[in-house]
Amino acid sequence: WCDALQADDIVGLALDVSDEFVKLAPKNPNVLRDKATSLDWVGDVARLRGDPDGATRHYEESLQLRLQLVELDPEGSRLVRDLVVSHVKLGDRALEDGDSRDATLHFRSAMKEAERLVAADPGNVAFQVDLTVCQNRLGDIAERLGRFDEAKDYFEAALRVTQRIVDLDPLQSEAELARVVGEERLGDLALLENNRAGAKERYQKGLEIGERLVKVDPANIRSLDSVARSRDKLGKIAVGDGDLAAARQ
């Protein structure tokens, strides 16, 4: 609580300073961008201290500023990426409220802007990661609503983008771990559709990636955890299939 209150004071002060600069230079894009960032910070802290409505209010104000800035400079990649961030934050807030419709609208808007950034700069890893976040969020929503084909399309699209990230930087362990999670998502979805063979294939792919990562860095906790998760999922399928020998492996 104490940390949250201290953070509230700090980000509140940052917003006050931003407001003063806006008064001095109300049309300066850098000043307006800084205010939008401060609004995000205040929203983040409000979320942490249990004020979801306050978080939404600040995120929405930040979004409106960023929409204005992008309208002035539609090709400014920093501004467009800021817009992606705003839509994702509001999409996440909508999900916390159980509002799948509003969340979907925000994540689709974010995905559209992220796709535009990737098209303009295919070698930018950060833009690719942003795109996968939107695709996976939309896949999660579709899965929750029972639209499994739609969910699969989103998850597979995210996995393809993650593979592109790996191709850009083969030593990018974060992207490889994201591939494991992508295979798990598709495996879990296959199980929901009672496709045990498909699920097993996906989990096996995830296991192979995780084991390669462990060979490179045996002490990496996240890689070890990914291997443990994959083995656990494969073990449960084996038990369900009556293959106790495979389950023990």
Side-chain angles (χ1 to χ4, degrees):
W1 235 155
C2 182
D3 289 343
L5 289 173
Q6 288 175 345
D8 201 17
D9 290 339
I10 293 169
V11 297
L13 178 61
L15 182 56
D16 289 342
V17 172
S18 295
D19 283 335
E20 291 302 316
F21 276 113
V22 170
K23 290 177 184 177
L24 294 171
K27 296 184 179 180
N28 186 301
N30 291 325
V31 169
L32 294 174
R33 183 171 185 258
D34 286 345
K35 179 174 179 179
T37 300
S38 295
L39 285 164
D40 272 357
W41 290 344
V42 174
D44 290 343
V45 172
R47 201 169 164 190
L48 285 172
R49 61 179 173 80
D51 179 13
D53 292 340
T56 299
R57 186 172 64 254
H58 286 96
Y59 291 156
E60 286 177 343
E61 188 176 348
S62 175
L63 173 63
Q64 292 308 311
L65 277 177
R66 286 168 173 166
L67 286 168
Q68 294 173 29
L69 289 169
V70 168
E71 189 174 340
L72 294 171
D73 183 8
E75 303 306 317
S77 60
R78 285 196 316 164
L79 301 178
V80 175
R81 193 178 185 213
D82 288 347
L83 196 55
V84 172
V85 170
S86 279
H87 279 300
V88 169
K89 285 180 180 291
L90 283 163
D92 285 342
R93 271 293 305 117
L95 281 182
E96 289 171 358
D97 288 342
D99 188 344
S100 297
R101 180 181 177 279
D102 198 39
T104 297
L105 291 174
H106 280 297
F107 291 134
R108 283 180 178 166
S109 295
M111 184 173 70
K112 179 182 176 182
E113 300 299 341
E115 287 173 337
R116 188 154 70 90
L117 289 172
V118 169
D121 187 0
N124 189 305
V125 170
F127 295 164
Q128 308 254 12
V129 171
D130 289 344
L131 180 55
T132 64
V133 168
C134 302
Q135 291 166 328
N136 280 322
R137 293 286 207 287
L138 287 165
D140 287 339
I141 293 171
E143 179 182 322
R144 192 175 301 132
L145 295 175
R147 301 200 298 257
F148 295 151
D149 288 342
E150 182 182 341
K152 184 178 180 183
D153 287 343
Y154 280 124
F155 291 151
E156 287 182 338
L159 194 55
R160 286 193 296 271
V161 175
T162 304
Q163 181 59 60
R164 289 205 301 268
I165 297 172
V166 173
D167 293 341
L168 287 168
D169 183 3
L171 299 179
Q172 173 66 264
S173 62
E174 287 295 319
E176 288 282 37
L177 285 168
R179 281 181 66 204
V180 176
V181 174
E183 295 291 356
E184 288 176 352
R185 286 176 186 271
L186 286 161
D188 293 346
L189 188 60
L191 275 185
L192 288 174
E193 297 181 298
N194 203 29
N195 180 3
R196 301 176 69 81
K200 182 178 179 180
E201 181 181 353
R202 290 293 184 178
Y203 296 150
Q204 185 62 42
K205 286 181 181 178
L207 176 61
E208 291 167 3
I209 296 167
E211 287 178 337
R212 286 202 305 271
L213 291 172
V214 169
K215 284 183 180 179
V216 173
D217 184 1
N220 188 299
I221 298 298
R222 294 182 63 197
S223 298
L224 291 166
D225 181 61
S226 77
V227 169
R229 285 199 318 271
S230 296
R231 286 178 176 165
D232 180 63
K233 289 175 181 290
L234 285 166
K236 288 177 179 176
I237 288 180
V239 169
D241 291 341
D243 188 351
L244 298 183
R248 294 191 190 99
Q249 293 179 358

